[in-house]
Amino acid sequence: MRLVIARCSVDYAGKLTAHLPMAPRLILIKADGSVSIHADDRAYKPLNWMNPPCSLREEPFEENGAIARWTVTHGKSGERLILTIEEILHDSSHELGLDPGLRKDGVEAHLQELLAEHITTLGDGWSLIRREYPTAIGPVDILCRDADSATVAVEIKRRGEIDGVEQLTRYLELLNRDPHLAPVRGIFAAQEIKPQARVLAVDRGIHCVTLDYDALRGIEHEGTLF
């Protein structure tokens, strides 16, 4: 991963346009080629970004006081992220190695195990494909098929928040590229789902399910899950 702190402006050119005025910002360039621009706030969401496949071109740019222009171009859409850099305050690269992935707490792990064992809790005629289904960005908690044999990805949390919806959205984007699985829809399942997360999930076509841990362990109160 390459970390750059620079005073820069950022312009996005594509189906929509966006502009960030000149200011100090953190630029993350990851091993997968993605580039994201961050301010010194927000827990996780960048100000602007370009997902792979994309390429970065760095070139001198002695105009309006700027020292460099970086252009990130998406390999499929041709959309561009243009960084006009006035000053570089820090530039370093770090080898992070293979990430072991997120380890769930005991409740989440047990919820996943129970729901996989009793997958028909989600609906009559449902069947399990696999727990921890691997993707390039990490494993999907549960991959299953509904009564119509359509593929469904299930992300399980103890407490459902916006970052969990974002995580499931990324999984769905990857899974829907696989012609053997597509179309794949998503279910966001948690013991408690925050209102903002529920709104975001519904907006993205993701169904929300509230899980009753005790009922799942006893499994006789299946109707309380929805």
Side-chain angles (χ1 to χ4, degrees), residues 176-202:
N176 274 297
R177 296 178 189 174
D178 186 340
H180 299 292
L181 297 175
V184 184
R185 62 186 178 93
I187 288 181
F188 188 51
Q191 289 179 284
E192 173 193 2
I193 300 177
K194 295 294 185 180
Q196 301 93 329
R198 188 178 294 274
V199 169
L200 180 61
V202 171

Side-chain angles (χ1 to χ4, degrees), residues 15-106:
K15 295 178 182 178
L16 300 174
T17 59
H19 174 73
L20 294 170
M22 192 69 68
R25 296 191 174 90
L26 169 64
I27 305 164
L28 296 183
I29 306 165
K30 295 187 178 181
D32 63 0
S34 63
V35 177
S36 56
I37 317 299
H38 298 259
D40 195 12
D41 65 358
R42 309 186 187 193
Y44 62 94
K45 189 172 182 179
L47 298 169
N48 216 323
W49 65 93
M50 186 71 77
N51 289 327
C54 58
S55 60
L56 169 63
R57 186 181 75 219
E58 303 178 38
E59 55 186 337
F61 185 70
E62 296 181 4
E63 186 175 316
N64 298 325
I67 61 169
R69 171 175 282 176
W70 293 3
T71 304
V72 186
T73 305
H74 194 271
K76 293 182 178 179
S77 68
E79 296 186 349
R80 294 178 299 153
L81 194 64
I82 302 167
L83 290 74
T84 302
I85 298 174
E86 190 175 85
E87 181 182 12
I88 293 179
L89 305 171
H90 175 86
D91 188 347
S92 64
S93 296
H94 307 270
E95 180 59 53
L96 300 186
L98 183 64
D99 191 272
L102 179 66
R103 296 195 175 188
K104 295 180 176 293
D105 65 24

Side-chain angles (χ1 to χ4, degrees), residues 190-221:
Q191 289 179 284
E192 173 193 2
I193 300 177
K194 295 294 185 180
Q196 301 93 329
R198 188 178 294 274
V199 169
L200 180 61
V202 171
D203 182 67
R204 295 183 176 179
I206 295 171
H207 182 58
C208 292
V209 172
T210 302
L211 298 174
D212 186 322
Y213 185 47
D214 290 333
L216 261 180
R217 286 189 294 178
I219 218 64
E220 61 266 7
H221 301 298

